[in-house]
Amino acid sequence: MRPTVFTALLLFFFSLTPVRADDRVLRFFDFDERAAGNVEDLPMHWSKVTGTGLPTYLQGRMVRGVGRSSPYSFRFDLNGGSLMYRYEGRDLPAHVGGRYRVEGFVKTTVLENARARITLQLLDQDFSPLPGSRVDSDVYASAAGTAADWQPLMAEIRAEDPRVAYVQIDLGLLQPNLYAARTLGDRTIFNQDVQGSAWFTDVLVSQIPELMLTPTRPGGIFAGGEEPGLRMSVNDRILGDLNASVEIRDAAGNLLHQQNGPITPNGPPSADPMSAAVNKGLWQQTIMAPAMPPGWYIATLKVTSGGKVVGERSTTLVQLADGRKTLNPDVRLGLSAIDVPPGLWGQLPDLVAGVNGGRLKLALWSPNNDVQTADADTFQNLLTRLDDIGIRPTACITGVPPMMAELVGGNDLDHLLKADPTIWQNSLKLLVARHATHLDRWQLGADGSDVFARNPKWQAFYQQVRGSISELVPQSDLAFPWPALYETDQSIPGEVALSIPTSVLPEQIPLYVNDLKERSSRTFSLGLVPLDRHRYGRDVYTRDYVQRIVWAFASEATRVDVPLPCRISDDGRRLEPDELYPVLRTLAFWLADAKYAGKVPVAEGVDGFLFDRNGTGIIMAWTSAMQAEGRGVTTRLNVPGDAKIINCFGMPVASVPAGPGMVDVQLSSLPILITPVDAGLARLRASAGFDKPLLESSFQSHTRKFRMVNTMNEPISGTVKLVGEEGWNFLPGAIGFALNPGETLEKEVGIEFPYSTAGGPHKVEAVISLSSQTMQKIRVPMQLRLGLSDIGMQSLVLRDGDDVIVQQLITNYGTKAANYTAFAVLAGQARQEKLVTSLGASRTVLKRFRFAGAAKGASPKTPLKVRTGLREIDGQRMLNDDLVLQ
């Protein structure tokens, strides 16, 4: 080698800035190679990757002026297509059992389609890629309206193949055809960015410690009051400079427990809380954390060297509100695990039983799995375990298995439509015959798929599949997916897996269920999915999830399916409960075998759902959508001494007295559960109300009928007193009653209200006093609405400098011309009136009132109150509205 080249390589070696003094760092690239004698545009030992979608005319280059730790970076420029570079140095060795990480920083121009990515690949001794040993970082691009800044990217892999010898890294700026999923197979069309740039820098390749962090209980599920345990291990050839830290945080990120200390290779286990016996580079320790409130938690183990994090592992924990007691699995509730890899199926029984689920969906055929080529005994043992704990599996066919895909030309189910039926029928019949004693429920297609709704050919194919299964299991059922937004009709061929998208509001779910019941006599399951947690935030995400399940149960759907509330652990070896696991357990545990008994009035603006399980009442309650963003509602509830008032995580939200009594409960948009309640009394509350809650806003006498049904199993007697807002009167003042079970009280009531009463809803409370030893009183919130049946008025108050402007939009909804006087009243100002005459049917008129100089001095502390209204010219009808100008 010539001296000049040798010198350049030596300078280049020392220019690779070390992060630590030890040899964990394999390479660090800041792309500042000028001092090393490299005057070329390309960094040394980096070569362009060629192939499909990677045009030869695209080039990358080192540039100055856009850097991070140094002034330099590696710039990629697009002109259509994708661009990728690979480091081909021979100085990235790897060995079996080692864990390797590449991390770097990237900055891009605004890109709609292309994305930057870093890839890590393991090679054998001949520098050939090892199968299954490639891992990609997340993809990234700057979005419009955001400031371009350095974004970290990271990929990590464990070398398990005994042939491993080297590590290889790729940097790429890729169009979607090289990173996005092909949802339509070969027919997928991707958009591309013609122009765009990315800058890579501070790319670090290192060997990191092998970490393990696992809970001491299966699934990380701990009973109420039980101390959560965590097993930790660190496997590294250098342990002496490492420190370990364990943190446990709740779902909101609050720190609940922390423990740290050095990893001491030679110290006895008792020398330090974080020390343990170490044998040949393996450090192990089990710690116990204090019992925590019910909920979901994330535990993180961080290992540092010289103050820098060199390894990190996380796991999740669930602290239950009570013990591990379970009821019989609720057959209404199904968990979909079609995305769970077969290697993790053995963990499913404990996790599904933990939330009281009665059904489980598994993808027996998928693009990545064929249960027939797996360990048949292991799968049969899984089915036996599920049967032993009362969980019924549903076998799903979501794609074409790999070996069959070679015969039919692809992994999508579409390919089976064109293929020779004998190719798949023989395999399917073999699968059914092998597990016929455990599999009598099947599903063709993934949840949410719309292929059956779009392509009539699928219905004929469905009949073929159904026939193949029915030959061996005559009593089986085969469901197919159907999105709720598509019309259903009598021609649908079989059982339906109706998927409800998040665009459908929770309270709209019964509409779709009832529509399907009316159109088809087929059995069906209702598939629910949660909102996007990152988009909507934790509170809305949780609230919507609970409301969807409650509304689904209230619609009397016999099968409700939700995704398995679990995630795959960082190391890919375990299933861990996610944030919704304790929420689903709370719902499924308390509502198990409970039947919907109707909505009950809890407080004004509160949705209350009554469920009845053998005479024991359970109420789910939350504030209505109009008050969802408000401060909530406080109400007093009469509960027994053994009652539980808990939120959807299982945590108590109110203290209950030792005996029966009144409890103040704060209600919000996050649902709470109240149990036990007297189901008969709850239904009695729900039956109380007026026959017509709308009152004409006029000075004529108003009469309405008050009704109440004795829903108890015994006769009741007592009085009802109606209490309204100030100035409201109800005649008679008290209504006596004596009712046998099932009898109805119906009494005419005269209603009077002040002349100045504003239109809109008004509170009324029915105080029901039952004659018994305790003289129990039940308070039922109700509502009367004041308005005009044929005239609508919308009022708006505005500020124009120091002037106040009032606008009225008046609409005649009736069939005759209307004649009214519109008015506006502001304290300290003359009353203003304008005529509304001969307003024709379905016509609208706008009236404006201006109060000059009236806005002076108005502020949040001294708001201006404005009253607007209408008064009938030749009659007694009127309508008021109160407004506030800040």
Side-chain angles (χ1 to χ4, degrees), residues 587-609:
L587 291 175
F589 180 79
W590 291 107
L591 298 182
D593 300 325
K595 298 186 179 300
Y596 178 62
K599 295 190 71 172
V600 295
V602 176
E604 183 188 5
V606 173
D607 291 326
F609 293 75

Side-chain angles (χ1 to χ4, degrees), residues 212-215 313-316 344 347 566-577:
M212 291 288 291
L213 181 67
T214 58
R313 278 288 175 268
S314 295
T315 191
T316 63
L344 301 179
Q347 303 174 34
C566 294
R567 67 183 193 184
I568 298 176
S569 63
D570 291 346
D571 56 13
R573 300 177 181 179
R574 291 174 295 106
L575 288 173
E576 301 176 333

Side-chain angles (χ1 to χ4, degrees), residues 201-223:
T201 193
D202 292 356
V203 178
L204 173 68
V205 187
S206 58
Q207 180 181 348
I208 61 174
E210 173 72 12
L211 309 183
M212 291 288 291
L213 181 67
T214 58
T216 55
R217 291 284 188 187
I221 313 298
F222 295 89

Side-chain angles (χ1 to χ4, degrees), residues 669-736:
S669 58
L670 194 66
I672 67 168
L673 183 147
I674 308 163
T675 190
V677 296
D678 189 310
L681 279 178
R683 288 194 293 270
L684 177 69
R685 289 167 55 93
S687 72
F690 293 102
D691 60 338
K692 298 177 181 179
L694 175 66
L695 294 178
E696 280 284 309
S697 184
S698 69
F699 295 106
Q700 297 176 344
S701 61
H702 297 281
T703 302
R704 293 291 183 267
K705 290 182 179 180
F706 174 82
R707 291 173 175 167
M708 184 179 71
V709 180
N710 179 10
T711 57
M712 311 289 285
N713 295 322
E714 57 188 23
I716 60 172
S717 61
T719 60
V720 178
K721 183 178 181 180
L722 300 175
V723 180
E725 299 172 357
E726 184 177 355
W728 284 60
N729 291 317
F730 296 88
L731 298 174
I735 304 170

Side-chain angles (χ1 to χ4, degrees), residues 438-644:
H438 293 96
L439 294 178
D440 60 354
R441 290 185 179 178
W442 293 74
Q443 179 172 315
L444 178 61
D447 291 331
S449 172
D450 64 351
V451 294
F452 284 89
R454 289 188 296 103
N455 189 350
K457 293 182 179 179
W458 275 97
Q459 298 188 12
F461 179 70
Y462 167 87
Q463 296 293 4
Q464 287 182 308
V465 176
R466 186 173 187 173
S468 298
I469 296 175
S470 299
E471 285 183 21
L472 300 168
V473 187
Q475 302 302 317
S476 63
D477 66 39
L478 174 65
F480 62 91
W482 192 280
L485 299 183
Y486 282 83
E487 288 287 342
T488 55
D489 54 41
Q490 295 291 342
S491 66
I492 53 178
E495 293 74 25
V496 179
L498 188 70
S499 55
I500 305 292
T502 55
S503 58
V504 173
L505 298 176
E507 56 267 29
Q508 295 172 334
I509 290 175
L511 301 176
Y512 291 90
V513 174
N514 293 334
D515 179 68
L516 190 60
K517 287 180 179 178
E518 292 174 359
R519 291 174 178 268
S520 175
S521 60
R522 300 285 190 180
T523 60
F524 66 92
S525 61
L526 201 63
L528 308 177
V529 292
L531 294 175
D532 183 341
R533 201 248 198 238
H534 298 289
R535 178 178 179 183
Y536 291 95
R538 179 175 180 247
D539 288 347
V540 175
Y541 168 73
T542 306
R543 176 183 78 212
D544 181 86
Y545 182 76
V546 176
Q547 292 182 8
R548 285 180 186 278
I549 294 175
V550 172
W551 275 105
F553 283 171
S555 71
E556 299 182 353
T558 56
R559 299 178 187 175
V560 179
D561 294 333
V562 296
L564 180 74
C566 294
R567 67 183 193 184
I568 298 176
S569 63
D570 291 346
D571 56 13
R573 300 177 181 179
R574 291 174 295 106
L575 288 173
E576 301 176 333
D578 67 19
E579 198 172 351
L580 292 177
Y581 190 94
V583 176
L584 185 59
R585 176 191 160 83
T586 300
L587 291 175
F589 180 79
W590 291 107
L591 298 182
D593 300 325
K595 298 186 179 300
Y596 178 62
K599 295 190 71 172
V600 295
V602 176
E604 183 188 5
V606 173
D607 291 326
F609 293 75
L610 174 65
F611 292 87
D612 188 346
R613 182 171 58 232
N614 301 324
T616 299
I618 304 109
I619 291 178
M620 294 292 305
W622 60 82
T623 54
S624 60
M626 294 182 64
Q627 295 180 330
E629 304 304 326
R631 294 172 296 180
V633 174
T634 300
T635 187
R636 304 204 77 193
L637 298 177
N638 195 339
V639 297
D642 61 344
K644 292 182 180 293

